[in-house]
Amino acid sequence: MRSNHIPVLFQQILEGLEVQSGGRYIDATVGGGGHAGGILRESSPDGRLLGLDRDPAAIEIAHTHLARYGERVKLVHRPFNCLAEVAQTHHHVPANGILFDLGLSSLQLADAMRGFAFMTDGPLDMRFDPTKNSLTAATLVNELSLEELADVLYRYGEIEQARRIAEAIVDARPLQTTKDLASTVERVVRRGRKIHPATRVFQALRIAVNDELAVLEEALPQAAGLLASNGRLAVISFHSLEDRLVKRFLRRESQDCICPPELPVCRCDHQATLRLVTRKPIRPTMDEIAANPRARSARLRVAERI
Ligand SMILES: C[S@@+](CC[C@H](N)C(=O)[O-])C[C@H]1O[C@@H](n2cnc3c(N)ncnc32)[C@H](O)[C@@H]1O
């Protein structure tokens, strides 16, 4: 597999993280190593980067792509909710910048056997880490009750017709492949002009298979805790559930008091640990979207450790 994933908001990440020579950086989702390569180049000659990925295939590709940086880069096959432990083990604290570029890489999407794409035919898998996680999309699709399946589609896909789709899936059981699932969804949901009806269904199942939101929720406080003073945290999300979670976390951590507004005096003793660098998310330009349609839904939020 070649490293043909185009990193989104590339320049904005280098600027957002204020990458500098000698800095210590963490790429929590190293993928094909696109952003990581930029960070290593920009932090030459002695900046160091610790890269994590939950997908062993991504780590292998990043190894090849980043080999020229030798000892300056360390790559670890672990999910980012282990960030604090991995950073401590590798003496990579405090960090001057931490990046999360969430979701899927083009490499994962292009590999039909991973089951992430409805445009190609493959097994209903969708695991980021096939070596650890035994729950696959096929298990969810074929074994959940109608109510459970409708709940997954509604909660993680924000699909209004979740129950109708779940009924169609249950009727069509057993489903074996991504094409089986996509055509089952197409039978009950009319094709919209913008996105394929299966897009949200695949998103929902992928989030559930990998427990993505819970893992992200665990990782963000760890990342904030690893930052050096004035260190930067940058998060690129690709759908509203992720972005909402990131926005809430950053907002909360940038406030001194998080008591409910009806309380007349502060009882929480919470102290801000972050300063928001971006009040509104940074979006890709039309030019970037034209060159890389995957960037379309990207939103970047940046905060700085106080
Ligand atoms: C959009 S890609 C990153 C691409 C990368 N920034 C680049 O420029 O090549 C997202 C990556 O995050 C990884 N990933 C998803 N969830 C993860 C998690 N919980 N922990 C670590 N990596 C994760 C995926 O396996 C995928 O390789």
Side-chain angles (χ1 to χ4, degrees):
M1 241 196 301
R2 280 195 316 117
S3 175
N4 56 358
H5 171 91
I6 307 172
V8 306
L9 295 165
F10 181 76
Q11 201 51 41
Q12 294 88 332
I13 285 296
L14 299 183
E15 286 163 17
L17 291 177
E18 294 191 320
V19 178
Q20 283 168 17
S21 303
R24 203 185 275 133
Y25 299 95
I26 300 178
D27 186 341
T29 52
V30 76
H35 288 113
I39 293 171
L40 284 157
R41 208 167 42 244
E42 198 80 2
S43 64
S44 291
D46 52 353
R48 291 197 296 127
L49 180 126
L50 173 66
L52 281 77
D53 205 290
R54 199 173 181 180
D55 182 349
I59 290 290
E60 217 174 286
I61 294 164
H63 258 301
T64 310
H65 187 64
L66 303 172
R68 76 189 82 156
Y69 296 103
E71 297 286 295
R72 291 177 56 203
V73 54
K74 177 85 207 159
L75 300 174
V76 183
H77 169 221
R78 291 291 293 280
F80 52 56
N81 56 334
C82 302
L83 199 59
E85 180 207 320
V86 174
Q88 300 286 356
T89 305
H90 293 279
H91 310 291
H92 205 83
V93 277
N96 302 100
I98 304 181
L99 167 65
F100 289 79
D101 175 18
L102 300 169
L104 276 177
S105 73
S106 309
L107 305 161
Q108 290 162 327
L109 207 55
D111 183 352
M113 296 314 285
R114 303 296 300 270
F116 288 117
F118 54 81
M119 305 300 270
T120 51
D121 205 13
L124 279 167
D125 192 317
M126 301 194 199
R127 289 171 297 174
F128 278 129
D129 187 354
T131 66
K132 301 245 165 59
N133 191 355
S134 58
L135 180 72
T136 65
T139 322
L140 297 181
V141 154
N142 290 316
E143 294 179 20
L144 289 185
S145 70
L146 172 63
E147 281 69 29
E148 288 167 336
L149 188 56
D151 185 52
V152 165
L153 299 182
Y154 186 74
R155 206 140 37 108
Y156 299 141
E158 301 186 291
I159 304 170
E160 277 173 27
Q161 304 184 57
R163 186 165 176 102
R164 222 167 130 220
I165 296 173
E167 281 168 357
I169 291 173
V170 169
D171 280 349
R173 279 174 178 171
L175 281 83
Q176 311 278 5
T177 69
T178 49
K179 283 276 182 213
D180 285 349
L181 177 58
S183 55
T184 303
V185 177
E186 267 177 35
R187 276 202 292 279
V188 286
V189 185
R190 255 194 312 131
R191 238 192 146 102
R193 262 181 305 155
K194 275 200 179 147
I195 64 165
H196 189 283
T199 308
R200 293 287 186 91
V201 173
F202 275 62
Q203 172 191 305
L205 292 169
R206 197 198 79 209
I207 292 175
V209 164
N210 299 290
D211 201 11
E212 287 180 36
L213 299 177
V215 173
L216 179 61
E217 207 158 9
E218 273 183 52
L220 290 173
Q222 294 182 30
L226 290 171
L227 285 173
S229 166
N230 300 325
R232 295 273 179 106
L233 172 64
V235 188
I236 305 175
S237 52
F238 288 87
H239 55 76
S240 54
L241 293 166
E242 275 169 358
D243 186 55
R244 217 174 293 150
L245 202 153
V246 174
K247 180 172 141 187
R248 282 195 193 137
F249 171 76
L250 296 182
R251 187 177 290 165
R252 182 187 154 98
E253 285 313 308
S254 60
Q255 284 171 0
D256 271 336
C257 168
I258 51 168
C259 289
E262 59 275 15
L263 273 192
V265 284
C266 174
R267 299 239 177 92
C268 68
D269 286 336
H270 187 264
Q271 289 211 320
T273 54
L274 297 175
R275 175 184 76 77
L276 298 184
V277 175
T278 51
R279 296 219 156 255
K280 291 236 156 65
I282 297 174
R283 309 288 308 266
T285 61
M286 297 305 280
D287 282 352
E288 177 170 359
I289 295 170
N292 179 17
R294 208 188 69 84
R296 192 184 54 236
S297 43
R299 288 179 172 83
L300 166 64
R301 296 184 186 271
V302 183
E304 183 175 271
R305 179 85 196 188
I306 291 173

